[in-house]
Amino acid sequence: MKKFIITSLLLSLLSIGCTHDPIEISPPDTRLNWFNDAKFGMFIHWGVYSGMAGKYVGPSLYGIEYTEASPFLCSWSAEWILSQAGIPRDTYKKQAKNFTATQFDGNEIASLAKETGMKYIIITVKHHEGFLLYPSTIQPDWCTSTSGANGRDLIMELLTAAKSKGLKVGLYFSQNLDWMTEGSLGEIPQLYGGKYDIEKNRTYIDYTCKVISEIMDRYGEILDVFWWDIPQINTSQEFTNQLQNALIKHKNYNKRILQNDRLSTLANGDFATPEGVIIQKPERPYELCITMDGSWGYTDYANNKKTRLELLYEITNTVSKGGNLLLNISPKGDGSLHPDALKLLKEIGDYMQINSESIYGTEHSGFTHGQDFGRVTRKGNSLYLHYYVGDKVELYGINSPILSAKTISGRNIEYKKIPNGYKFIGLKKGEVAKVTFSSIIIDEGFPISNKMEETNLYAMSALAEGGLSINGFESGFVNYNSWINLWPDLGWLLKVENPAKYDIYTTISNGGPGKLEIKIESDDNARI
């Protein structure tokens, strides 16, 4: 009896002998043309929490007194430190003195974004702490006017610089959740996790609409994106309409301004914004946002710092599925960036400059499953093979004649036909191949025959239902087995050429108790 081997971290779904049509996405709104072409943007989380660097010493609403000997430390989501540590409002306001912005230069940040290959910038004008990054007349005691930034309009400084360099700009605005303001929606630390009543919510929404109006007064004429957040705590049509009207009925509003899908549970917006989980089969434009180290706000204690290859994987993976990647940077309270972050951005910029053709203006590759060697992006009848995994480049799922196969730099690549695909010879890791076909008809699946000794299926080539992350490196590149699947299902598509009995073996690495479930059917839509 011949066998094939399935190698992965977690396994639950495998399809046998099934084909499918290419992904179809609804015709895009022309207002989103620049957004769909951009593919890569910069997210900036910056506020009073940045000056705390993930550490708090002082009293807590939860009955704890944090000391220098035993401080509260944030290794993740340091922008939530007020809530996590239970810091009283009056105490938290004193932290504004550490938000100095002395090293912040809008031109330097805009230049950094452009050199990294980013096409747009989204910055937090107000996060859940309620602090405004400009001198506000609506909230004069909780803005740059009463901080170490001495009343600077940090938003205008950045937006003006970005526009001068040809970048699109947008503002993140936490409209539903504001821990420092009476009446906010959601759970409030000052109320020990309790919530305000509906009448106080109405007062808060009125206040928030005034802030939106002030923001539009100052920046509306140059904005390209308005980025809402925390939709799940707003289920009110009344509040949704008020907030939406504060934006779109303002004199400086222009229909070019795109909105994401986080205004409330009742608003779809112009594009979707999954967080940490890629959309495999998008039905409309979307943007995946990720951090560089597990925290959106700056912290000295992050323990999940990504490497160059991890970030390049996130970019190419997202773009291969037709989406944009919004990569967050976390300035310190003085506005400077950690040297490690600057180094990573420089390395990404170098890659993007060389391989820009394979990123910008691309579409969904048409593949739902992955490829063992890396990720595939697409423009028309050209596929771009991003090679950074394993020891060979074999593309499965397409049999159309090849018109040309070259590296991005123009070097010809040798190739040969293999069952249900092509093998490319001489491509080096880190290179990108441009393969142009006479037409592209995708019929995914690994061919399986009883004449084959074995077939290995790896996490890279699976359809990951959830999040799939690189986790381990050898000589600068990831090996086949160093992946973490953040949700339970990985699936492979097989094309079984001959009826036969097959043995299935799995190799699983797990840090603790786990469960493996294998589902098998026997018809043309069989799934394992």
Side-chain angles (χ1 to χ4, degrees), residues 48-246:
V48 170
Y49 50 82
S50 307
M52 300 174 72
K55 177 181 176 181
Y56 173 63
V57 173
S60 169
L61 293 165
Y62 310 137
I64 303 171
E65 183 71 32
Y66 294 105
T67 66
E68 284 292 347
S70 183
F72 180 89
L73 302 178
C74 279
S75 59
W76 60 276
S77 294
E79 71 285 357
W80 279 69
I81 192 168
L82 185 158
S83 178
Q84 290 183 42
I87 306 173
R89 284 174 177 164
D90 289 344
T91 303
Y92 192 77
K93 279 194 172 183
K94 296 175 183 177
Q95 298 291 336
K97 67 179 184 298
N98 298 319
F99 182 75
T100 64
T102 54
Q103 301 302 309
F104 177 78
D105 185 320
N107 278 297
E108 289 183 1
I109 294 295
S111 294
L112 177 64
K114 191 162 187 175
E115 290 164 5
T116 305
M118 295 157 167
K119 300 298 185 180
Y120 61 106
I121 297 176
I122 309 292
I123 184 172
T124 53
V125 64
K126 179 175 90 85
H127 203 262
H128 312 325
E129 64 176 6
F131 183 80
L132 296 165
L133 266 67
Y134 63 88
S136 171
T137 58
I138 303 299
Q139 184 68 289
D141 64 341
W142 192 228
C143 64
T144 58
S145 299
T146 52
S147 75
N150 296 318
R152 287 170 61 185
D153 188 340
L154 302 169
I155 297 298
M156 185 61 82
E157 290 178 26
L158 177 63
L159 268 51
T160 302
K163 281 290 187 177
S164 72
K165 300 180 188 305
L167 302 174
K168 300 290 186 180
V169 297
L171 296 178
Y172 166 110
F173 182 77
S174 180
Q175 75 285 359
N176 295 323
L177 183 60
D178 184 335
W179 299 313
M180 295 289 285
T181 303
E182 291 282 323
S184 169
L185 309 186
E187 298 177 353
I188 307 300
Q190 196 73 21
L191 301 181
Y192 305 96
K195 299 180 180 180
Y196 288 107
D197 62 37
I198 188 67
E199 290 306 318
K200 287 188 177 179
N201 289 160
R202 287 193 172 96
T203 300
Y204 168 76
I205 293 295
D206 287 342
Y207 155 76
T208 302
C209 288
K210 292 176 182 177
V211 175
I212 293 171
S213 181
E214 182 177 61
I215 288 171
M216 290 299 291
D217 284 343
R218 301 178 76 97
Y219 318 112
E221 293 182 346
I222 58 176
L223 279 185
D224 299 295
V225 180
F226 207 89
W227 217 97
W228 310 99
D229 202 13
I230 312 293
Q232 63 272 19
I233 63 174
N234 184 355
T235 60
S236 166
Q237 190 67 63
E238 174 191 351
F239 294 164
T240 299
N241 291 346
Q242 278 186 264
L243 294 167
Q244 183 69 270
N245 288 337

Side-chain angles (χ1 to χ4, degrees), residues 308-309 312 351 354-355 372-375 385-394 407 411 413 424-433 460 472-483:
R308 179 186 74 95
L309 187 58
L312 288 176
Y351 184 90
I354 295 171
N355 301 298
D372 279 342
F373 59 82
R375 286 293 176 252
L385 316 183
H386 296 255
Y387 176 34
Y388 45 75
V389 183
D391 55 6
K392 58 185 177 181
V393 180
E394 293 180 346
T407 63
R411 176 171 57 83
I413 302 170
F424 298 89
I425 302 164
L427 196 65
K428 301 175 183 177
K429 280 186 178 176
E431 287 189 312
V432 177
M460 190 71 173
F473 300 87
E474 294 180 0
S475 302
F477 288 92
V478 67
N479 67 20
Y480 278 125
N481 299 319
S482 47
W483 296 85

